[in-house]
Amino acid sequence: MRWGLGRERYRVAPGVYAVGTPNDRSPVLISANYKMSFDILRRSLDGLDAWILAIDTKGINVWCAAGKGTFSTREIVHRVKSCALERTVSHRTLIVPQLGAPGVAAQQVKHDCGFSVVYGPVRAMDLKAFLAADMHATAHMRQVTFSTLDRLVLTPVELTSMLKPALWATLALFIGGGIGPDLFSFATAWNRGTVALGSLLSGIIAGAVAVPVLLPWIPGRAFAFKGALFGLLVSLLMLTGIGTSSSLPENLALLLALPAVSSYCAMNFTGSTTFTSPSGVEKEMRYAIPGQLAALLLAGACWIGAAF
Amino acid sequence: MSKLRYLENVTTLKLNRDVCVGCGMCLNVCPHAVFVLVRNKAVINDLNRCMECGACAVNCPVAALSVKAGVGCASAIIYGWLTGKEPSCDCGGGSDCC
């Protein structure tokens, strides 16, 4: 699951679910129909009596679905009406996860179906305390965190998303590796291609795994910068490891290409964080992408040139 | 978390204090404690922590808040640049990529 494979099948049917033995006064919690979120919610309510209303978010988690408009005012209102929730409970309150708020206008839900929205805590684990405190969330419950573990579990999906571009890059590296004085040689293509592939993979791992995990400790604010900086460190370490076996243009190619790849991968991690703004991402991309492209082209020129 | 901060002075978040009725909804929905209530009106306390999720503006009953919310992944922004459309994750209906 964490690799982002087969997520399409990972959903629950929208509708009303019972936790424990709820009655008409039990709280109603709104959930996305992403099975991972749904199961965490159900588990965190263990021992309580409550209703869960799963709305159709196409199997996407609450926060992403709210950003994309599937976890929405319209879908909540639609689901409340089609499930005849007013006949299941006597109260008129819905507990909506706080991270669903970007897609839900509380005042509109009230207007359209008569149910008031109370925003629950960010994390399901705080739900029992929230309910016990008469649906009051502390400041801590309202804030999103981004721990090292949070970042670590996100790295597999980063790697998966790099798979397709990496395959194309590999193909290009083996073709480029064969170009030389005798036009094209399969032997050199293999030799130089595998070395280049090693650098590519190091760059991807640096940017898509190491930078996310080490995020707070790498200097700088822009992710592209952090990625480039860490990539430079990795390429310098690799060069000291290789020693003198490679030529100067080849070393230069490594010093340019690996940080560029790492920078690109790190920049893509902005989409998974809990604190980056679209305006900020666009700002850093505006100077990072030309830089990454220039570094890659220059590296390619150095590398092919080194064969002659 | 307090250590993780992103670029300064980029957010599009704006608050019109004259319109604010002090209901506190923005404090409830903001995941980064950007707002505080001062003398029964919302105040932006830490602007640079805003990640432009848009929750505050959508839930403000008097439209005192505005923010250009959107998808924050790099691939979505590249898609937006190339097609001239709004940034969108190219992930179809079923997958989760943002």
Side-chain angles (χ1 to χ4, degrees):
Chain A
M1 266 311 295
R2 281 291 182 191
W3 291 85
L5 306 170
R7 281 197 181 183
E8 299 76 34
R9 296 184 298 275
Y10 219 68
R11 46 175 91 174
V12 295
V16 180
Y17 292 81
V19 179
T21 47
N23 58 31
D24 67 322
R25 291 179 311 278
S26 302
V28 179
L29 297 107
I30 307 288
S31 164
N33 74 329
Y34 179 41
K35 194 166 183 300
M36 196 186 267
S37 325
F38 183 83
D39 286 344
I40 290 171
L41 173 64
R42 204 161 44 172
R43 231 174 294 136
S44 66
L45 293 171
D46 192 34
L48 297 178
D49 300 318
W51 300 101
I52 298 178
L53 178 62
I55 65 169
D56 188 8
T57 59
K58 315 283 179 217
I60 294 176
N61 73 68
V62 170
W63 211 4
C64 283
K68 287 183 185 182
T70 46
F71 192 99
S72 64
T73 306
R74 225 174 73 180
E75 172 59 18
I76 290 179
V77 170
H78 165 73
R79 208 51 69 179
V80 164
K81 286 184 176 168
S82 68
C83 294
L85 193 66
E86 75 280 357
R87 276 186 274 164
T88 309
V89 292
S90 54
H91 64 79
R92 292 293 175 262
T93 303
L94 302 172
I95 300 173
V96 175
Q98 189 194 327
L99 293 186
V104 178
Q107 67 279 13
Q108 193 68 38
V109 173
K110 169 100 179 167
H111 176 264
D112 291 355
C113 69
F115 278 82
S116 311
V117 168
V118 172
Y119 285 107
V122 165
R123 284 163 295 269
M125 56 182 262
D126 291 329
L127 266 171
K128 274 186 185 169
F130 171 81
L131 290 169
D134 209 15
M135 298 198 286
H136 179 81
T138 63
H140 173 73
M141 289 183 198
R142 291 254 173 258
Q143 284 209 45
V144 168
T145 54
F146 204 37
S147 68
T148 307
L149 186 66
D150 291 339
R151 300 193 301 274
L152 185 67
V153 299
L154 288 169
T155 57
V157 81
E158 293 298 308
L159 286 178
T160 309
S161 69
M162 287 298 156
L163 202 62
K164 212 171 133 195
L167 283 175
W168 285 109
T170 307
L171 188 67
L173 287 175
F174 278 104
I175 292 173
I179 298 172
D182 22 307
L183 212 61
F184 192 87
S185 147
F186 281 100
T188 37
W190 178 252
N191 285 334
R192 304 191 71 218
T194 38
V195 175
L197 180 61
S199 318
L200 173 71
L201 293 180
S202 309
I204 291 175
I205 290 172
V209 180
V211 172
V213 172
L214 301 173
L215 204 61
W217 301 284
I218 301 173
R221 290 276 175 91
F223 282 51
F225 176 81
K226 284 174 186 272
L229 196 69
F230 193 78
L232 193 64
L233 180 75
V234 171
S235 50
L236 284 171
L237 284 174
M238 280 174 75
L239 279 186
T240 38
I242 294 169
T244 51
S245 66
S246 55
S247 67
L248 181 67
E250 282 178 318
N251 292 347
L252 205 59
L254 177 72
L255 281 174
L256 285 165
L258 201 154
V261 171
S262 170
S263 170
Y264 180 79
C265 293
M267 192 178 76
N268 266 286
F269 188 64
T270 53
S272 299
T273 72
T274 57
F275 67 103
T276 55
S277 59
S279 297
V281 177
E282 192 162 353
K283 185 186 173 185
E284 73 166 275
M285 283 174 69
R286 224 172 273 139
Y287 67 83
I289 288 193
Q292 290 156 0
L293 277 177
L296 280 180
L297 285 175
L298 207 58
C302 286
W303 185 58
I304 302 237
F308 290 89
Chain B
M1 185 59 207
S2 55
K3 269 186 275 177
L4 284 170
R5 300 186 68 96
Y6 196 44
L7 308 183
E8 306 278 316
N9 306 320
V10 289
T11 177
T12 52
L13 176 68
K14 288 194 173 59
L15 164 67
N16 184 351
R17 279 204 87 199
D18 299 334
V19 181
C20 177
V21 290
C23 70
M25 198 56 157
C26 50
L27 280 78
N28 276 345
V29 295
C30 180
H32 289 298
V34 166
F35 305 97
V36 289
L37 276 185
V38 176
R39 281 176 277 116
N40 286 323
K41 285 204 181 223
V43 173
I44 296 176
N45 182 48
D46 195 351
L47 181 68
N48 290 322
R49 290 197 65 188
C50 172
M51 60 172 290
E52 299 179 316
C53 72
C56 55
V58 171
N59 282 280
C60 177
V62 290
L65 283 154
S66 72
V67 60
K68 189 178 171 294
V71 185
C73 26
S75 52
I77 293 175
I78 294 175
Y79 171 85
W81 284 351
L82 293 180
T83 60
K85 293 180 201 154
E86 277 296 295
S88 160
C89 296
D90 180 29
C91 54
S95 66
D96 167 14
C97 73
C98 44

